Amino acid sequence: DEMTKLELIVSKLQNKEAESKIVFLEGDPGVGKTRLVSQMKLLFRKREYDVFMGSASQLEVSTPFHVWQEIFKELLNPT
């Protein structure tokens, strides 16, 4: 179950057991990524983690670092 995996990731981050502080999520269209991300954001923000997201369509995959543009914009121009 994906929610169980997500809760394990959050728990490891909270206990500083995680090797990384970045979570990547990818998958085929229609498998529930958006819903999972929404739940993930709620879990992380409840624990006062910063949440930054980037996304790309199949047309943008060939543009280097495209997915990071949204993240950098948010980091450099916080509102």
Side-chain angles (χ1 to χ4, degrees), residues 8 10 22:
L8 179 62
V10 173
I22 297 174

Side-chain angles (χ1 to χ4, degrees), residues 21-37:
K21 304 294 188 249
I22 297 174
V23 177
F24 288 98
L25 176 65
E26 63 181 354
D28 294 328
V31 296
K33 294 180 303 294
T34 301
R35 183 165 188 260
L36 185 61
V37 166

Side-chain angles (χ1 to χ4, degrees), residues 63-75:
T63 305
F65 303 105
H66 177 80
V67 72
W68 290 97
Q69 289 178 2
E70 295 173 51
I71 296 168
F72 290 137
K73 284 180 188 175
E74 194 171 341
L75 284 169

Side-chain angles (χ1 to χ4, degrees), residues 12-63:
K12 284 186 175 189
L13 285 171
Q14 190 170 6
N15 295 326
K16 299 183 180 167
E17 297 172 17
E19 294 177 24
S20 175
K21 304 294 188 249
I22 297 174
V23 177
F24 288 98
L25 176 65
E26 63 181 354
D28 294 328
V31 296
K33 294 180 303 294
T34 301
R35 183 165 188 260
L36 185 61
V37 166
S38 296
Q39 294 298 315
M40 182 174 67
K41 286 170 59 175
L42 288 173
L43 285 172
F44 285 164
R45 288 194 171 138
K46 281 181 185 177
R47 289 169 174 83
E48 299 183 5
Y49 285 102
D50 293 322
V51 178
F52 301 97
M53 292 178 39
S55 62
S57 71
Q58 289 182 335
L59 297 174
E60 299 158 333
V61 169
S62 62
T63 305

